[in-house]
Structures are given as structure tokens and as C-alpha cells.
Amino acid sequence: MATQSAQRMSQAGQDWLLNCAAHPADVQRTWDVGELAEFPTGPHWHVAEVPIPRSLEALARIGGGRIGPALADVHRGVAWWLLPPDLTDELDGIRRLTVRPPGWVLTCPPVLHSVNGRWWIERPDGSGRLTDPVLLGAALSLDGAQLPTEANR
């Protein structure tokens, strides 16, 4: 039963991701042949690029239901966090983090499996939830501490 629920959530996340594509049918065809599909940043989300080790620490600090999709590439050693499209300067000054400009292309595998060393460390769940940049900035700025309870809401 839990497996069916996880599969439904993964499929909902994949459907959401396809809805973010300019040409969903082209993206599906690309995935069907085992390739990464292109998603330009800007219309649906911004992207913050962070080394994988720092991203995994931030995932643990932020915790559970407050995290939006995050994609990692084991070969490049980086992760990309999907952030709200109205992002302004919330992440300015965070070391070893790069906010990619609108129009920058993120190449993504399907939500259901990895492709070429790229996988969703936090899968889209279909809700459209993105990571709060203030929480991400706080999690990346801390030196091993947990986020304060009020920041976790």
C-alpha cells in the first residue's frame, strides 16, 4: 500500500514537472529515450546551485515538509534547489551558492528515475511547493546547528 502511495506521489510530481515545460510532449519523448530534458528557469522557478554535501546538510536542517524539489548531479557534485520565481535578494551573500538567472537551462531527469548520474534528492510531489529561500539561506549559513523552531514554520 505504501509503495502505491509513493508511486502516485512520484507520478503527481512528474505530471507537475511536465506542466512546467514549454513543450511537455517533447520532454516526455526525451525522457522516453533515456535523456535529460531542458527546463529554462524563470517562468516557474529560479534555481540555486549548491555543492551536494552542503545541500544534504541543508536538507537535514530544514527537514520534512518544508522542502521543495532539489536535483543533484553526482558527476558534477552539485545540487539545484527549485525556488519561487519571485526570488529577489534573499540568498545574496550565501557562500558557495549560485543563483542562476532567468532563462538558464536546467536539464532534468524524470521524477520517477535517475538519468546519467542526475537524480531528485527531493522529488517534486505535485503540489507545486518550492523551497523557501529564507529557510535555505538560513540552513546554508549555519555551522552545524539546527534551524530555530520559528524558522521551521
Short mmCIF file of all heavy atoms in Angstrom, two decimals, residues 49-84:
data_model
loop_
_atom_site.label_atom_id
_atom_site.label_comp_id
_atom_site.label_asym_id
_atom_site.label_seq_id
_atom_site.Cartn_x
_atom_site.Cartn_y
_atom_site.Cartn_z
N GLU A 49 22.25 26.86 -7.12
CA GLU A 49 23.20 25.76 -7.26
C GLU A 49 24.10 25.73 -6.03
O GLU A 49 24.69 26.75 -5.67
CB GLU A 49 24.03 25.96 -8.53
CG GLU A 49 24.97 24.84 -8.84
CD GLU A 49 25.68 25.06 -10.16
OE1 GLU A 49 24.99 25.10 -11.21
OE2 GLU A 49 26.91 25.20 -10.14
N VAL A 50 24.20 24.55 -5.41
CA VAL A 50 24.93 24.38 -4.16
C VAL A 50 25.67 23.03 -4.23
O VAL A 50 25.12 22.06 -4.75
CB VAL A 50 23.95 24.35 -2.96
CG1 VAL A 50 24.69 24.19 -1.64
CG2 VAL A 50 23.08 25.61 -2.94
N PRO A 51 26.90 22.94 -3.71
CA PRO A 51 27.57 21.63 -3.68
C PRO A 51 26.71 20.58 -2.95
O PRO A 51 25.99 20.91 -2.00
CB PRO A 51 28.86 21.90 -2.91
CG PRO A 51 29.12 23.37 -3.12
CD PRO A 51 27.75 24.00 -3.15
N ILE A 52 26.78 19.34 -3.41
CA ILE A 52 25.96 18.27 -2.83
C ILE A 52 26.13 18.14 -1.32
O ILE A 52 25.13 18.05 -0.60
CB ILE A 52 26.19 16.92 -3.55
CG1 ILE A 52 25.58 16.97 -4.95
CG2 ILE A 52 25.60 15.76 -2.75
CD1 ILE A 52 25.84 15.72 -5.79
N PRO A 53 27.36 18.12 -0.77
CA PRO A 53 27.46 17.94 0.68
C PRO A 53 26.72 19.03 1.47
O PRO A 53 26.01 18.74 2.44
CB PRO A 53 28.97 17.99 0.96
CG PRO A 53 29.60 17.58 -0.34
CD PRO A 53 28.69 18.12 -1.41
N ARG A 54 26.84 20.28 1.04
CA ARG A 54 26.12 21.37 1.72
C ARG A 54 24.62 21.22 1.53
O ARG A 54 23.83 21.54 2.42
CB ARG A 54 26.57 22.73 1.18
CG ARG A 54 28.00 23.07 1.59
CD ARG A 54 28.36 24.50 1.32
NE ARG A 54 27.68 25.36 2.29
CZ ARG A 54 27.26 26.59 2.03
NH1 ARG A 54 27.44 27.10 0.84
NH2 ARG A 54 26.68 27.31 2.95
N SER A 55 24.20 20.74 0.35
CA SER A 55 22.78 20.54 0.10
C SER A 55 22.21 19.47 1.02
O SER A 55 21.10 19.62 1.55
CB SER A 55 22.55 20.16 -1.36
OG SER A 55 22.79 21.28 -2.19
N LEU A 56 22.94 18.38 1.19
CA LEU A 56 22.45 17.32 2.07
C LEU A 56 22.35 17.80 3.52
O LEU A 56 21.40 17.46 4.23
CB LEU A 56 23.35 16.08 1.96
CG LEU A 56 23.34 15.40 0.59
CD1 LEU A 56 24.34 14.25 0.55
CD2 LEU A 56 21.95 14.92 0.22
N GLU A 57 23.31 18.61 3.95
CA GLU A 57 23.24 19.20 5.29
C GLU A 57 22.01 20.10 5.41
O GLU A 57 21.30 20.08 6.42
CB GLU A 57 24.51 19.98 5.60
CG GLU A 57 25.74 19.12 5.77
CD GLU A 57 27.04 19.93 5.81
OE1 GLU A 57 26.99 21.18 5.77
OE2 GLU A 57 28.10 19.29 5.87
N ALA A 58 21.77 20.91 4.39
CA ALA A 58 20.61 21.81 4.41
C ALA A 58 19.31 21.03 4.43
O ALA A 58 18.37 21.40 5.14
CB ALA A 58 20.65 22.76 3.21
N LEU A 59 19.23 19.93 3.67
CA LEU A 59 18.04 19.09 3.69
C LEU A 59 17.75 18.61 5.11
O LEU A 59 16.60 18.66 5.56
CB LEU A 59 18.22 17.87 2.77
CG LEU A 59 18.04 18.08 1.29
CD1 LEU A 59 18.55 16.87 0.52
CD2 LEU A 59 16.60 18.34 0.94
N ALA A 60 18.78 18.16 5.79
CA ALA A 60 18.60 17.67 7.16
C ALA A 60 18.20 18.80 8.11
O ALA A 60 17.37 18.60 9.00
CB ALA A 60 19.89 17.00 7.64
N ARG A 61 18.77 19.97 7.94
CA ARG A 61 18.46 21.10 8.83
C ARG A 61 17.03 21.62 8.62
O ARG A 61 16.36 21.97 9.58
CB ARG A 61 19.45 22.22 8.61
CG ARG A 61 20.81 21.89 9.16
CD ARG A 61 21.77 23.05 8.95
NE ARG A 61 23.08 22.66 9.43
CZ ARG A 61 24.22 22.97 8.83
NH1 ARG A 61 24.19 23.72 7.73
NH2 ARG A 61 25.36 22.57 9.31
N ILE A 62 16.62 21.72 7.37
CA ILE A 62 15.28 22.24 7.08
C ILE A 62 14.24 21.20 7.44
O ILE A 62 13.24 21.49 8.07
CB ILE A 62 15.15 22.67 5.61
CG1 ILE A 62 16.10 23.82 5.29
CG2 ILE A 62 13.71 23.07 5.30
CD1 ILE A 62 16.21 24.15 3.81
N GLY A 63 14.47 19.97 7.00
CA GLY A 63 13.59 18.86 7.33
C GLY A 63 12.29 18.82 6.56
O GLY A 63 11.86 19.78 5.95
N GLY A 64 11.71 17.64 6.58
CA GLY A 64 10.41 17.27 6.06
C GLY A 64 9.68 18.16 5.08
O GLY A 64 10.19 18.51 4.04
N GLY A 65 8.45 18.50 5.44
CA GLY A 65 7.52 19.13 4.52
C GLY A 65 7.79 20.57 4.15
O GLY A 65 6.92 21.20 3.58
N ARG A 66 8.94 21.10 4.46
CA ARG A 66 9.26 22.48 4.09
C ARG A 66 10.19 22.56 2.89
O ARG A 66 10.61 23.64 2.50
CB ARG A 66 9.88 23.21 5.28
CG ARG A 66 8.89 23.40 6.41
CD ARG A 66 9.54 23.97 7.64
NE ARG A 66 10.60 23.12 8.17
CZ ARG A 66 10.39 22.07 8.97
NH1 ARG A 66 9.19 21.74 9.32
NH2 ARG A 66 11.39 21.36 9.41
N ILE A 67 10.52 21.43 2.31
CA ILE A 67 11.49 21.39 1.22
C ILE A 67 10.78 21.16 -0.10
O ILE A 67 9.96 20.26 -0.23
CB ILE A 67 12.52 20.28 1.45
CG1 ILE A 67 13.27 20.52 2.75
CG2 ILE A 67 13.49 20.20 0.27
CD1 ILE A 67 14.13 19.37 3.18
N GLY A 68 11.13 21.98 -1.09
CA GLY A 68 10.64 21.76 -2.44
C GLY A 68 11.62 20.89 -3.19
O GLY A 68 12.58 20.37 -2.61
N PRO A 69 11.44 20.73 -4.47
CA PRO A 69 12.30 19.86 -5.27
C PRO A 69 13.76 20.31 -5.26
O PRO A 69 14.07 21.50 -5.29
CB PRO A 69 11.72 19.98 -6.68
CG PRO A 69 10.32 20.45 -6.48
CD PRO A 69 10.35 21.31 -5.26
N ALA A 70 14.64 19.32 -5.21
CA ALA A 70 16.08 19.54 -5.30
C ALA A 70 16.65 18.42 -6.16
O ALA A 70 16.35 17.24 -5.94
CB ALA A 70 16.73 19.57 -3.93
N LEU A 71 17.45 18.79 -7.13
CA LEU A 71 18.02 17.88 -8.11
C LEU A 71 19.53 17.85 -7.91
O LEU A 71 20.14 18.89 -7.66
CB LEU A 71 17.67 18.39 -9.51
CG LEU A 71 18.18 17.63 -10.72
CD1 LEU A 71 17.54 16.24 -10.77
CD2 LEU A 71 17.86 18.41 -11.99
N ALA A 72 20.14 16.67 -8.01
CA ALA A 72 21.59 16.56 -7.83
C ALA A 72 22.23 15.86 -9.02
O ALA A 72 21.60 15.05 -9.70
CB ALA A 72 21.91 15.80 -6.55
N ASP A 73 23.50 16.18 -9.23
CA ASP A 73 24.30 15.55 -10.27
C ASP A 73 25.57 15.01 -9.62
O ASP A 73 26.44 15.79 -9.20
CB ASP A 73 24.64 16.55 -11.37
CG ASP A 73 25.35 15.89 -12.55
OD1 ASP A 73 26.30 15.11 -12.32
OD2 ASP A 73 24.97 16.18 -13.69
N VAL A 74 25.67 13.69 -9.50
CA VAL A 74 26.79 13.06 -8.83
C VAL A 74 28.10 13.32 -9.57
O VAL A 74 29.16 13.42 -8.94
CB VAL A 74 26.53 11.55 -8.61
CG1 VAL A 74 26.53 10.79 -9.91
CG2 VAL A 74 27.52 10.97 -7.64
N HIS A 75 28.06 13.45 -10.89
CA HIS A 75 29.29 13.66 -11.66
C HIS A 75 29.84 15.08 -11.48
O HIS A 75 31.06 15.26 -11.48
CB HIS A 75 29.05 13.38 -13.14
CG HIS A 75 28.57 11.99 -13.41
ND1 HIS A 75 29.29 10.87 -13.11
CD2 HIS A 75 27.39 11.55 -13.93
CE1 HIS A 75 28.61 9.79 -13.43
NE2 HIS A 75 27.45 10.17 -13.93
N ARG A 76 28.96 16.04 -11.33
CA ARG A 76 29.38 17.44 -11.14
C ARG A 76 29.50 17.81 -9.67
O ARG A 76 30.08 18.84 -9.35
CB ARG A 76 28.41 18.38 -11.84
CG ARG A 76 28.45 18.18 -13.36
CD ARG A 76 27.74 19.25 -14.12
NE ARG A 76 28.14 20.58 -13.70
CZ ARG A 76 27.36 21.64 -13.78
NH1 ARG A 76 26.14 21.53 -14.27
NH2 ARG A 76 27.77 22.82 -13.38
N GLY A 77 28.91 17.02 -8.79
CA GLY A 77 29.00 17.29 -7.36
C GLY A 77 28.17 18.48 -6.91
O GLY A 77 28.48 19.12 -5.91
N VAL A 78 27.10 18.77 -7.65
CA VAL A 78 26.25 19.91 -7.29
C VAL A 78 24.78 19.50 -7.23
O VAL A 78 24.38 18.49 -7.80
CB VAL A 78 26.40 21.10 -8.28
CG1 VAL A 78 27.81 21.66 -8.26
CG2 VAL A 78 25.98 20.72 -9.68
N ALA A 79 24.03 20.32 -6.52
CA ALA A 79 22.58 20.15 -6.45
C ALA A 79 21.94 21.47 -6.82
O ALA A 79 22.54 22.54 -6.63
CB ALA A 79 22.15 19.74 -5.05
N TRP A 80 20.74 21.39 -7.37
CA TRP A 80 19.98 22.57 -7.74
C TRP A 80 18.67 22.56 -6.98
O TRP A 80 17.92 21.59 -7.03
CB TRP A 80 19.70 22.59 -9.24
CG TRP A 80 20.95 22.64 -10.05
CD1 TRP A 80 21.69 23.74 -10.39
CD2 TRP A 80 21.63 21.53 -10.65
NE1 TRP A 80 22.77 23.38 -11.15
CE2 TRP A 80 22.76 22.02 -11.32
CE3 TRP A 80 21.39 20.16 -10.68
CZ2 TRP A 80 23.64 21.21 -12.01
CZ3 TRP A 80 22.27 19.34 -11.35
CH2 TRP A 80 23.38 19.87 -12.03
N TRP A 81 18.42 23.63 -6.26
CA TRP A 81 17.20 23.81 -5.48
C TRP A 81 16.23 24.64 -6.30
O TRP A 81 16.60 25.71 -6.81
CB TRP A 81 17.51 24.54 -4.19
CG TRP A 81 18.37 23.77 -3.24
CD1 TRP A 81 19.70 23.52 -3.36
CD2 TRP A 81 17.95 23.15 -2.03
NE1 TRP A 81 20.12 22.79 -2.29
CE2 TRP A 81 19.07 22.55 -1.45
CE3 TRP A 81 16.71 23.07 -1.38
CZ2 TRP A 81 19.00 21.87 -0.25
CZ3 TRP A 81 16.65 22.39 -0.18
CH2 TRP A 81 17.79 21.79 0.37
N LEU A 82 14.99 24.19 -6.41
CA LEU A 82 13.97 24.96 -7.11
C LEU A 82 13.33 25.92 -6.12
O LEU A 82 12.83 25.51 -5.06
CB LEU A 82 12.92 24.02 -7.72
CG LEU A 82 13.29 23.42 -9.09
CD1 LEU A 82 14.61 22.71 -9.10
CD2 LEU A 82 12.17 22.54 -9.59
N LEU A 83 13.40 27.20 -6.47
CA LEU A 83 12.95 28.29 -5.59
C LEU A 83 11.86 29.10 -6.28
O LEU A 83 11.74 29.06 -7.51
CB LEU A 83 14.14 29.20 -5.27
CG LEU A 83 15.36 28.49 -4.68
CD1 LEU A 83 16.54 29.45 -4.62
CD2 LEU A 83 15.04 27.92 -3.31
N PRO A 84 11.08 29.86 -5.53
CA PRO A 84 9.99 30.64 -6.14
C PRO A 84 10.49 31.57 -7.25
O PRO A 84 11.60 32.11 -7.18
CB PRO A 84 9.43 31.45 -4.97
CG PRO A 84 9.81 30.67 -3.75
CD PRO A 84 11.14 30.03 -4.08
#
